[in-house]
Amino acid sequence: MAMRRVAAAAAALLACVLLVSPVRGRNITAILDGYKEYKLYNKYLSETKVCDEINSRQSTSMTILVLSNDAMTTLASDAGDSLPAIKNALRLHSVLDYYDRKKVKKYGDESAATLYQATGDAASTTGNVKVVDQEDKNYGFSAATPGARICTVTKEVETHPFKFAILEVTAPIEFDGLFDTPSTANLTRLLERAGCKVFASLAARSGVLKTYEAAMGKGLTLFAPNDDAFQAKDAPDVKTMSSANLTKLLQYNALPSYNTKTSLKFVKGTLRTLATTKAGVTVVAKGDDVSLDTGKSKSRVADTVVDSVPFCLLTVDSLLVPPELYVGAPEAAPAPAPAEAPQGSPSVAADHAADHKTKKPSSSDASQTIGALAAACSVVLPSLLLLL
């Protein structure tokens, strides 16, 4: 009997430990979904796919500097309501280290890297932020440029020491040049500079270039093969291809939605392309490597040429060819239902995902739950020790 009591107590204690322990994964949009005061900030995280960049760094300590709905409205206005410019700012507010009041008060002022600095788009070190120890209990963050205003932390929304924190700041962190974005006005020039001259020429000659350009403002991901891809042994002979098949081939190398290389890692199922063919492409991701599978061959996504929401230009190592364009290919079977481009990213934190499907928890709910669990543990632990 005593052994049964010991086993039951041990099981209860283990349950307490598992429930109270912080989760290993995190999904920033699922977490912020529980805070209506950050609804607009969360919306832009999803639209710009910055959420996927945050969620992909599960092993990186991070601090997300969130803005209230009013402050986010100010930021969007300052950025001219340009999604590419807003994306720059959201990346700047995603700090690649952990900070809370206790750490700042202990170590004082310092510089910290951000997602914006990590992209390489920032000039010099302007993509970093300064962590500032203010008077009394206050602390804040500012741009790295001299004389930048300090945005004070008004609330520590969530803190998981040395792993992940969400802090609300009073105002957007901005600096001159933050909202500068690359021009996408000349797609042909972008393709040629990326080493995709053959692809650019075929797109212009066939008229598919106009299809690309018409889709760029609505949502387009273009997979451009480099010139060597057309010389590959298994590449189709585009010189002898009919006009209809060439159009299908070029449209097959594009998605009618905005996806970055990082966000593609979170896609499940088949993605439909601009082509009318039933066959789509599926994503195969392993670590930082991302490939596209047509069912006949795979093509590695190499580099990001331009990321300008809602348009993304990526280079690939080989041409994406619809299965039916292979010589002697049998009629393709109906493809699975196409996957929609991910809004945010699928949950990597099962407990957050389950909670937010039924209820949006508040910080007080979380505190009450943890308090109840702690109380239960305080009862179970002494009993277990007595039995042992």
Side-chain angles (χ1 to χ4, degrees):
M1 181 66 72
M3 290 303 295
R4 288 182 182 176
R5 283 191 219 147
V6 170
L13 180 61
L14 178 60
C16 288
V17 171
L18 292 175
L19 288 170
V20 175
S21 298
V23 293
R24 291 183 180 180
R26 59 176 178 247
N27 183 323
I28 185 61
T29 53
I31 296 172
L32 290 181
D33 194 40
Y35 300 92
K36 62 182 181 181
E37 59 268 45
Y38 310 127
K39 182 178 180 179
L40 192 57
Y41 187 93
N42 208 18
K43 170 180 174 288
Y44 281 117
L45 279 182
S46 293
E47 289 184 4
T48 61
K49 307 293 186 183
V50 172
C51 58
D52 292 330
E53 296 179 19
I54 294 171
N55 292 342
S56 69
R57 291 176 174 263
Q58 294 292 315
S59 61
T60 303
S61 295
M62 291 192 71
T63 300
I64 309 303
L65 306 177
V66 297
L67 299 167
S68 67
N69 292 329
D70 287 343
M72 188 65 226
T73 299
T74 299
L75 172 58
S77 178
D78 291 346
D81 291 319
S82 163
L83 284 176
I86 292 172
K87 182 167 189 172
N88 286 352
L90 292 178
R91 282 170 163 173
L92 185 69
H93 286 70
S94 303
V95 184
L96 300 179
D97 202 348
Y98 174 84
Y99 291 97
D100 60 13
R101 178 177 289 105
K102 185 175 180 180
K103 179 179 177 179
V104 175
K105 291 300 174 182
K106 181 176 181 179
Y107 295 104
D109 298 357
E110 62 181 52
S111 177
T114 69
L115 280 179
Y116 184 53
Q117 183 68 26
T119 63
D121 294 336
S124 185
T125 58
T126 57
N128 292 336
V129 293
K130 290 181 180 178
V131 186
V132 184
D133 181 7
Q134 298 174 293
E135 294 181 355
D136 299 325
K137 295 182 179 181
N138 296 326
Y139 68 106
F141 296 80
S142 74
T145 52
R149 70 179 175 188
I150 300 172
C151 303
T152 302
V153 174
T154 55
K155 184 194 301 183
E156 293 186 333
V157 182
E158 289 199 16
T159 55
H160 303 281
F162 307 108
K163 293 181 180 179
F164 187 66
I166 300 175
L167 311 176
E168 180 186 326
V169 290
T170 53
I173 301 172
E174 300 175 3
F175 63 86
D176 289 341
L178 175 63
F179 299 131
D180 294 343
T181 57
S183 172
T184 58
N186 192 325
L187 180 55
T188 299
R189 183 175 297 176
L190 290 173
L191 289 168
E192 290 176 346
R193 287 180 176 177
C196 307
K197 293 182 179 179
V198 175
F199 187 77
S201 175
L202 291 172
R205 189 183 76 196
S206 64
V208 176
L209 182 66
K210 292 183 179 179
T211 303
Y212 293 156
E213 291 172 338
M216 286 170 62
K218 302 173 184 178
L220 178 70
T221 305
L222 186 56
F223 302 112
N226 56 43
D227 291 345
D228 291 338
F230 290 90
Q231 305 301 320
K233 183 178 180 180
D234 57 348
D237 187 356
V238 292
K239 295 179 181 178
T240 60
M241 190 174 287
S242 69
S243 176
N245 283 345
L246 179 59
T247 295
K248 181 181 292 186
L249 175 70
L250 296 174
Q251 290 179 340
Y252 192 70
N253 281 257
L255 306 177
S257 56
Y258 169 67
N259 292 276
T260 64
K261 182 178 179 180
T262 298
S263 66
L264 285 171
K265 298 176 185 179
F266 295 98
V267 173
K268 303 297 181 184
T270 303
L271 282 168
R272 73 182 175 90
T273 70
L274 280 180
T276 55
T277 175
K278 293 181 179 179
V281 294
T282 56
V283 180
V284 180
K286 186 176 182 180
D288 291 332
D289 289 332
V290 178
S291 296
L292 302 169
D293 190 345
T294 68
K296 288 286 187 178
S297 63
K298 292 181 182 179
S299 180
R300 186 180 71 91
V301 178
D303 298 305
T304 300
V305 179
V306 172
D307 177 3
S308 182
V309 192
F311 168 63
C312 190
L313 173 57
L314 304 168
T315 57
V316 289
D317 288 345
S318 57
L319 193 61
L320 296 175
V321 182
E324 62 267 32
L325 291 189
Y326 280 88
V327 177
E331 185 176 350
E340 295 295 330
Q343 294 299 316
S345 57
S347 176
V348 292
D351 60 325
H352 273 303
D355 287 344
H356 289 294
K357 285 180 181 177
T358 56
K359 178 185 176 183
K360 296 182 179 180
S362 64
S363 56
S364 60
D365 291 334
S367 299
Q368 290 174 5
T369 301
I370 293 174
L373 289 171
C377 289
S378 68
V379 174
V380 172
L381 184 57
S383 300
L384 178 60
L385 292 176
L386 286 173
L387 289 170
L388 294 174

